[in-house]
Amino acid sequence: MVMELCIGSSSSATVLFNQHSSRTFLCLVRTISVLSRTIYSNSKEPSFRFSSLGLPFFQQTPSRSRRCSSPFVASASSSSVAADGEIDQLPASIEVTETQQPNSRVKLTVEVPSAICDDCYSRILKEFMKQSKVPGFRPGKQVPESILVNYVGKKNVQKATVESILKRTLPHAMSSVTGRALRDSVQIVTKFSDMEQAYSSLNSLSYDVIVDVAPEVKWIKENGYKNLKIVVEIDTDIGAQKASEKELRRRHKSLGSLKIVTDRGLQVGDVAVLDISATTIDQVESNVQKIPSAESKGFHFDTEDGDKFLPGFLDKLVGIQRGETKPFPLVFPETWTQENLRGVHAEFTVECKELFFRDLPELDDSLADRLLPGCTTLEQVTTSLSQGIIIAKCLEVEQTAKEQATDSAILDQLCKVVLHSEMVEIDIPQSLFEEQGRQLYGAKLLQIQANMKLNDQQLASLSSQKAVYEYLENQRENITNVIKQNLAVGDIFKRENLQVSTAELIKEVGNSISEFKRQNQEYDEDRVREQVQEILEGAKVLEWLREHSEIQYITR
């Protein structure tokens, strides 16, 4: 959570504050990236697309990267359904043989009988007859087959017929993997020239289809995710007693006054008025960018809250004097709330405009009534703060921090279980690996763009196929781990029959779309719904694990 701690100033360097919190379940949810839509795969296997008329339109093309990560589809091709949405009825049955392949792939060997080939041939001739203007024949009139074939070209008719066969039979072949096929993963691997030759000589056709299917999560130890033993470390400063002590200190400070420091530099306990600016650090000067969220004028910096600032910020400022300007480098930690700043090397420039020390009255019984009206002793103040209405807020803070620490510990333990080869087996298909990798890479580009404002040439270079595939290879283990975690979470959701209510889904989808509109960003409503569904399912799994784990709390 980003916290604004500015006192008496309308401007605040909110980027400096990062309230420590545990990782949320979003770390197991797939990354959304608009840039992933622009990255293309470099498949060497042929993919097919068909014209609406079934005419020659067979070619080898690169396939567009998918935008979704996990949804499975009933059929993997949209190119072979009738106008009313029903699968085209065939005059005879095809024979499909399914063979399991490594990496959650299935090979479908499709045998198409002569009856279907003849029917497709007849349809193609009728289509050519409608479109062709054969000399000597009026449009729409019957043209003898031999004349029509000679006019169009026997080779063209043959190509169109084979394409029509594929178009009509592929949905029927795919019915055996309904509900399991990964979106856009279908590839007809038989060479088109071989299919042409077979049709020409045998008047029948056979072809092989490779499709990635939903990988199965195999728990080597049945229900290995149940009864996890979780050890949660709790910070001492989240206790109610500690919180009440902080409240007493806050009230004491409010009774004092600020006086100008004239003979020394900044010390812990002082309050400084600062002008702050920051830029990224880069060896190439033209790549250096400002960090607008870190800029602030007249920021009131209370050094007693130094532990809530960017790590190292207070240490760099100790000793700075009024009127002095001090530059220094800092690195945003990888756990920083603002994702686009994680790991960023920054150069801060801070000017101390004013420097004050607190002149506080002695903390004794004489202040009791001023600290908490109605109290006559300091002990009464302390007791009231610990037992009165203030304690409710303290306990709320304590409970929130405790829950966050618990969730983080559960996720850490679940990750260890999932990623341990002796506990879980998941055969990840290549298409799912590439897709997840592209989404993560797209998110990385968005961060780089936000930090450095890449120009079109730089963005094009980083979006090239070469750059993408280098990332996939370098990050293979990390990408694989993310997929395993996601699939394991989905498997737990199904195994335990967990449910996400329609009302929850509608509410969160609406919130997400409103945020997209507020940011003037494009969005795909179906994809937003899928993403929200995943997040809600993940939250349900986390809640279930919390209830069914053995949790031990220790104080560090």
Side-chain angles (χ1 to χ4, degrees):
M1 180 187 299
V2 177
M3 302 177 62
E4 293 189 13
L5 299 178
C6 180
I7 304 174
S9 172
S10 60
S11 61
S12 59
T14 57
V15 72
L16 301 178
F17 308 105
N18 186 25
Q19 183 180 17
H20 177 70
S21 62
S22 64
R23 292 180 303 154
T24 67
F25 205 84
L26 293 178
C27 72
L28 296 184
V29 178
R30 293 172 183 86
T31 308
I32 304 174
S33 172
V34 176
L35 282 181
S36 66
R37 305 179 188 181
T38 67
I39 302 172
Y40 293 79
S41 67
N42 190 26
S43 174
K44 295 183 179 180
E45 298 182 81
S47 58
F48 297 80
R49 56 195 179 110
F50 302 91
S51 68
S52 60
L53 300 176
L55 300 180
F57 214 87
F58 176 98
Q59 59 186 18
Q60 186 168 332
T61 61
S63 58
R64 184 180 297 273
S65 172
R66 290 159 292 172
R67 287 179 295 169
C68 54
S69 301
S70 62
F72 308 122
V73 290
S75 65
S77 173
S78 61
S79 60
S80 44
V81 293
D84 57 2
E86 298 293 330
I87 295 179
D88 188 11
Q89 296 300 312
L90 301 176
S93 298
I94 61 174
E95 182 179 337
V96 181
T97 303
E98 183 175 320
T99 307
Q100 297 296 323
Q101 302 286 308
N103 302 114
S104 296
R105 291 189 129 189
V106 172
K107 182 175 78 170
L108 303 175
T109 300
V110 186
E111 301 286 344
V112 183
S114 298
I116 296 177
C117 295
D118 291 340
D119 188 63
C120 290
Y121 177 75
S122 298
R123 290 190 177 201
I124 287 299
L125 287 183
K126 290 180 181 179
E127 202 60 56
F128 273 124
M129 195 172 297
K130 290 179 183 178
Q131 297 185 34
S132 303
K133 296 181 181 181
V134 183
F137 294 89
R138 285 181 294 177
K141 291 297 182 179
Q142 187 72 24
V143 179
E145 178 181 335
S146 58
I147 296 177
L148 180 62
V149 171
N150 286 334
Y151 178 77
V152 175
K154 183 177 180 180
K155 192 69 174 178
N156 289 334
V157 173
Q158 183 174 283
K159 284 179 178 291
T161 301
V162 172
E163 187 176 304
S164 177
I165 294 170
L166 295 174
K167 177 181 177 180
R168 295 181 63 191
T169 60
L170 185 58
H172 294 271
M174 293 301 301
S175 62
S176 65
V177 291
T178 295
R180 295 187 293 148
L182 292 182
R183 184 176 299 177
D184 298 340
S185 69
V186 180
Q187 295 176 326
I188 299 176
V189 295
T190 304
K191 292 182 179 180
F192 190 75
S193 58
D194 292 343
M195 289 187 281
E196 279 187 291
Q197 185 176 354
Y199 168 71
S200 177
S201 58
L202 303 174
N203 195 37
S204 63
L205 191 65
S206 66
Y207 59 93
D208 291 333
V209 177
I210 293 291
V211 59
D212 290 342
V213 295
E216 180 183 358
V217 179
K218 298 179 182 178
W219 299 90
I220 306 304
K221 180 182 178 181
E222 188 63 23
N223 298 325
Y225 57 88
K226 291 185 177 180
N227 301 316
L228 296 177
K229 297 185 185 301
I230 310 296
V231 177
V232 184
E233 293 186 347
I234 301 296
D235 289 330
T236 56
D237 63 353
I238 69 169
Q241 181 62 34
K242 191 71 175 180
S244 63
E245 291 175 1
K246 288 186 175 182
E247 176 63 17
L248 178 61
R249 174 62 177 170
R250 185 190 69 79
R251 291 177 179 231
H252 184 208
K253 289 195 297 185
S254 69
L255 300 179
S257 59
L258 294 177
K259 295 187 176 181
I260 297 176
V261 175
T262 59
D263 57 350
R264 61 171 175 81
L266 178 77
Q267 297 178 356
V268 175
D270 293 341
V271 175
V273 179
L274 308 175
D275 284 353
I276 306 170
S277 62
T279 63
T280 58
I281 296 176
D282 197 296
Q283 294 181 348
V284 181
E285 187 175 348
S286 59
N287 290 338
V288 173
Q289 299 290 331
K290 290 184 178 180
I291 305 177
S293 55
E295 294 186 356
S296 181
K297 297 289 187 181
F299 176 70
H300 287 238
F301 175 48
D302 188 341
T303 57
E304 288 192 3
D305 294 323
D307 59 340
K308 298 183 178 69
F309 284 68
L310 178 65
F313 185 78
L314 173 58
D315 294 339
K316 297 288 188 180
L317 287 180
V318 170
I320 191 172
Q321 297 193 13
R322 179 171 176 260
E324 181 182 355
T325 298
K326 188 174 184 180
F328 53 86
L330 283 179
V331 179
F332 287 87
E334 294 295 338
T335 55
W336 196 251
T337 298
Q338 293 169 271
E339 293 185 9
N340 66 310
L341 291 177
R342 291 174 184 171
V344 171
H345 291 250
E347 177 73 14
F348 282 85
T349 301
V350 178
E351 181 183 359
C352 182
K353 308 292 288 187
E354 299 288 349
L355 184 58
F356 304 94
F357 70 94
R358 282 194 173 90
D359 186 12
L360 300 178
E362 185 176 353
L363 189 61
D364 54 25
D365 290 346
S366 65
L367 296 180
D369 186 63
R370 296 173 65 190
L371 291 170
L372 190 61
C375 294
T376 58
T377 67
L378 193 60
E379 182 179 357
Q380 287 180 344
V381 174
T382 303
T383 301
S384 297
L385 288 177
S386 299
Q387 297 178 353
I389 191 170
I390 299 299
I391 194 65
K393 295 182 179 180
C394 296
L395 289 174
E396 182 180 352
V397 171
E398 178 184 10
Q399 184 61 28
T400 299
K402 186 175 182 180
E403 289 177 356
Q404 290 176 338
T406 302
D407 291 347
S408 179
I410 291 174
L411 292 176
D412 286 340
Q413 186 62 28
L414 179 62
C415 289
K416 291 177 183 178
V417 171
V418 170
L419 302 181
H420 199 295
S421 59
E422 296 180 2
M423 295 294 292
V424 179
E425 284 185 358
I426 305 177
D427 201 11
I428 299 175
Q430 180 65 17
S431 64
L432 190 57
F433 167 80
E434 291 185 358
E435 175 190 320
Q436 180 67 74
R438 286 190 178 88
Q439 290 190 353
L440 293 175
Y441 186 70
K444 180 181 177 181
L445 287 188
L446 284 178
Q447 289 186 5
I448 295 174
Q449 175 71 348
N451 293 335
M452 302 177 59
K453 303 300 181 185
L454 302 175
N455 57 41
D456 291 343
Q457 184 177 359
Q458 291 171 323
L459 186 59
S461 176
L462 290 174
S463 302
S464 67
Q465 292 180 2
K466 180 181 178 182
V468 173
Y469 277 97
E470 285 180 354
Y471 175 83
L472 294 180
E473 287 304 312
N474 292 335
Q475 297 296 318
R476 179 170 293 275
E477 182 177 357
N478 291 336
I479 296 169
T480 300
N481 289 344
V482 170
I483 295 172
K484 284 183 177 180
Q485 293 165 3
N486 291 333
L487 293 175
V489 168
D491 187 67
I492 295 172
F493 185 86
K494 293 178 182 177
R495 283 172 175 258
E496 301 304 327
N497 296 314
L498 304 179
Q499 300 292 328
V500 172
S501 70
T502 303
E504 286 179 290
L505 183 61
I506 292 175
K507 178 182 177 181
E508 293 304 324
V509 168
N511 291 340
S512 298
I513 291 177
S514 296
E515 183 62 20
F516 276 115
K517 291 180 177 179
R518 190 178 70 83
Q519 299 290 343
N520 292 320
Q521 293 182 357
E522 296 182 2
Y523 64 92
D524 181 328
E525 186 168 348
D526 290 338
R527 183 57 187 135
V528 171
R529 182 176 295 274
E530 291 170 357
Q531 203 79 29
V532 169
Q533 179 77 27
E534 290 175 358
I535 294 173
L536 292 177
E537 289 180 5
K540 295 293 183 182
V541 171
L542 184 57
E543 181 180 344
W544 186 93
L545 289 172
R546 191 185 303 119
E547 294 174 357
H548 294 82
S549 298
E550 181 181 325
I551 303 176
Q552 175 187 1
Y553 294 96
I554 61 175
T555 302
R556 59 189 174 192

PDB file of all heavy atoms in Angstrom, residues 495-506:
ATOM      1  N   ARG A 495     -10.871 -29.621  -7.577  1.00  0.00           N
ATOM      2  CA  ARG A 495     -10.919 -30.771  -6.672  1.00  0.00           C
ATOM      3  C   ARG A 495     -11.791 -30.507  -5.449  1.00  0.00           C
ATOM      4  O   ARG A 495     -12.507 -31.403  -4.984  1.00  0.00           O
ATOM      5  CB  ARG A 495      -9.498 -31.129  -6.215  1.00  0.00           C
ATOM      6  CG  ARG A 495      -8.668 -31.883  -7.234  1.00  0.00           C
ATOM      7  CD  ARG A 495      -7.233 -32.003  -6.737  1.00  0.00           C
ATOM      8  NE  ARG A 495      -6.432 -32.818  -7.632  1.00  0.00           N
ATOM      9  CZ  ARG A 495      -6.095 -34.100  -7.402  1.00  0.00           C
ATOM     10  NH1 ARG A 495      -6.511 -34.687  -6.282  1.00  0.00           N
ATOM     11  NH2 ARG A 495      -5.378 -34.774  -8.255  1.00  0.00           N
ATOM     12  N   GLU A 496     -11.735 -29.301  -4.947  1.00  0.00           N
ATOM     13  CA  GLU A 496     -12.480 -28.980  -3.726  1.00  0.00           C
ATOM     14  C   GLU A 496     -13.859 -28.387  -4.020  1.00  0.00           C
ATOM     15  O   GLU A 496     -14.542 -27.936  -3.106  1.00  0.00           O
ATOM     16  CB  GLU A 496     -11.665 -28.012  -2.863  1.00  0.00           C
ATOM     17  CG  GLU A 496     -10.308 -28.543  -2.453  1.00  0.00           C
ATOM     18  CD  GLU A 496     -10.403 -29.886  -1.730  1.00  0.00           C
ATOM     19  OE1 GLU A 496     -11.416 -30.109  -1.008  1.00  0.00           O
ATOM     20  OE2 GLU A 496      -9.480 -30.710  -1.886  1.00  0.00           O
ATOM     21  N   ASN A 497     -14.250 -28.410  -5.299  1.00  0.00           N
ATOM     22  CA  ASN A 497     -15.588 -27.944  -5.706  1.00  0.00           C
ATOM     23  C   ASN A 497     -15.877 -26.523  -5.205  1.00  0.00           C
ATOM     24  O   ASN A 497     -16.968 -26.227  -4.708  1.00  0.00           O
ATOM     25  CB  ASN A 497     -16.670 -28.903  -5.194  1.00  0.00           C
ATOM     26  CG  ASN A 497     -16.547 -30.278  -5.798  1.00  0.00           C
ATOM     27  OD1 ASN A 497     -16.366 -30.422  -7.009  1.00  0.00           O
ATOM     28  ND2 ASN A 497     -16.644 -31.309  -4.969  1.00  0.00           N
ATOM     29  N   LEU A 498     -14.881 -25.658  -5.310  1.00  0.00           N
ATOM     30  CA  LEU A 498     -15.064 -24.267  -4.904  1.00  0.00           C
ATOM     31  C   LEU A 498     -15.866 -23.521  -5.971  1.00  0.00           C
ATOM     32  O   LEU A 498     -15.861 -23.895  -7.145  1.00  0.00           O
ATOM     33  CB  LEU A 498     -13.707 -23.608  -4.679  1.00  0.00           C
ATOM     34  CG  LEU A 498     -12.790 -24.315  -3.664  1.00  0.00           C
ATOM     35  CD1 LEU A 498     -11.469 -23.575  -3.541  1.00  0.00           C
ATOM     36  CD2 LEU A 498     -13.460 -24.426  -2.310  1.00  0.00           C
ATOM     37  N   GLN A 499     -16.542 -22.464  -5.563  1.00  0.00           N
ATOM     38  CA  GLN A 499     -17.417 -21.732  -6.476  1.00  0.00           C
ATOM     39  C   GLN A 499     -17.184 -20.236  -6.370  1.00  0.00           C
ATOM     40  O   GLN A 499     -16.886 -19.712  -5.284  1.00  0.00           O
ATOM     41  CB  GLN A 499     -18.891 -22.043  -6.164  1.00  0.00           C
ATOM     42  CG  GLN A 499     -19.278 -23.503  -6.279  1.00  0.00           C
ATOM     43  CD  GLN A 499     -19.246 -23.999  -7.716  1.00  0.00           C
ATOM     44  OE1 GLN A 499     -19.519 -23.220  -8.654  1.00  0.00           O
ATOM     45  NE2 GLN A 499     -18.939 -25.274  -7.916  1.00  0.00           N
ATOM     46  N   VAL A 500     -17.316 -19.550  -7.495  1.00  0.00           N
ATOM     47  CA  VAL A 500     -17.330 -18.084  -7.539  1.00  0.00           C
ATOM     48  C   VAL A 500     -18.738 -17.670  -7.925  1.00  0.00           C
ATOM     49  O   VAL A 500     -19.257 -18.107  -8.958  1.00  0.00           O
ATOM     50  CB  VAL A 500     -16.315 -17.539  -8.556  1.00  0.00           C
ATOM     51  CG1 VAL A 500     -16.490 -16.027  -8.709  1.00  0.00           C
ATOM     52  CG2 VAL A 500     -14.893 -17.863  -8.126  1.00  0.00           C
ATOM     53  N   SER A 501     -19.379 -16.859  -7.093  1.00  0.00           N
ATOM     54  CA  SER A 501     -20.764 -16.475  -7.363  1.00  0.00           C
ATOM     55  C   SER A 501     -20.848 -15.532  -8.561  1.00  0.00           C
ATOM     56  O   SER A 501     -19.904 -14.787  -8.850  1.00  0.00           O
ATOM     57  CB  SER A 501     -21.386 -15.812  -6.139  1.00  0.00           C
ATOM     58  OG  SER A 501     -20.808 -14.536  -5.915  1.00  0.00           O
ATOM     59  N   THR A 502     -21.978 -15.576  -9.230  1.00  0.00           N
ATOM     60  CA  THR A 502     -22.206 -14.692 -10.376  1.00  0.00           C
ATOM     61  C   THR A 502     -22.139 -13.230  -9.953  1.00  0.00           C
ATOM     62  O   THR A 502     -21.605 -12.380 -10.671  1.00  0.00           O
ATOM     63  CB  THR A 502     -23.569 -14.990 -11.012  1.00  0.00           C
ATOM     64  OG1 THR A 502     -23.623 -16.375 -11.404  1.00  0.00           O
ATOM     65  CG2 THR A 502     -23.808 -14.114 -12.233  1.00  0.00           C
ATOM     66  N   ALA A 503     -22.672 -12.941  -8.758  1.00  0.00           N
ATOM     67  CA  ALA A 503     -22.676 -11.553  -8.272  1.00  0.00           C
ATOM     68  C   ALA A 503     -21.252 -11.051  -8.077  1.00  0.00           C
ATOM     69  O   ALA A 503     -20.931  -9.909  -8.435  1.00  0.00           O
ATOM     70  CB  ALA A 503     -23.455 -11.472  -6.961  1.00  0.00           C
ATOM     71  N   GLU A 504     -20.387 -11.897  -7.513  1.00  0.00           N
ATOM     72  CA  GLU A 504     -18.986 -11.511  -7.318  1.00  0.00           C
ATOM     73  C   GLU A 504     -18.322 -11.211  -8.652  1.00  0.00           C
ATOM     74  O   GLU A 504     -17.592 -10.224  -8.804  1.00  0.00           O
ATOM     75  CB  GLU A 504     -18.219 -12.643  -6.619  1.00  0.00           C
ATOM     76  CG  GLU A 504     -18.510 -12.820  -5.153  1.00  0.00           C
ATOM     77  CD  GLU A 504     -17.722 -13.978  -4.571  1.00  0.00           C
ATOM     78  OE1 GLU A 504     -18.042 -15.141  -4.907  1.00  0.00           O
ATOM     79  OE2 GLU A 504     -16.775 -13.726  -3.808  1.00  0.00           O
ATOM     80  N   LEU A 505     -18.553 -12.096  -9.614  1.00  0.00           N
ATOM     81  CA  LEU A 505     -17.926 -11.949 -10.922  1.00  0.00           C
ATOM     82  C   LEU A 505     -18.382 -10.674 -11.611  1.00  0.00           C
ATOM     83  O   LEU A 505     -17.563  -9.902 -12.123  1.00  0.00           O
ATOM     84  CB  LEU A 505     -18.249 -13.175 -11.791  1.00  0.00           C
ATOM     85  CG  LEU A 505     -17.610 -13.216 -13.171  1.00  0.00           C
ATOM     86  CD1 LEU A 505     -16.092 -13.227 -13.063  1.00  0.00           C
ATOM     87  CD2 LEU A 505     -18.077 -14.441 -13.950  1.00  0.00           C
ATOM     88  N   ILE A 506     -19.683 -10.429 -11.621  1.00  0.00           N
ATOM     89  CA  ILE A 506     -20.223  -9.238 -12.282  1.00  0.00           C
ATOM     90  C   ILE A 506     -19.676  -7.968 -11.645  1.00  0.00           C
ATOM     91  O   ILE A 506     -19.283  -7.022 -12.334  1.00  0.00           O
ATOM     92  CB  ILE A 506     -21.761  -9.256 -12.224  1.00  0.00           C
ATOM     93  CG1 ILE A 506     -22.321 -10.395 -13.090  1.00  0.00           C
ATOM     94  CG2 ILE A 506     -22.331  -7.918 -12.687  1.00  0.00           C
ATOM     95  CD1 ILE A 506     -23.821 -10.553 -12.997  1.00  0.00           C
TER      96      ILE A 506
END
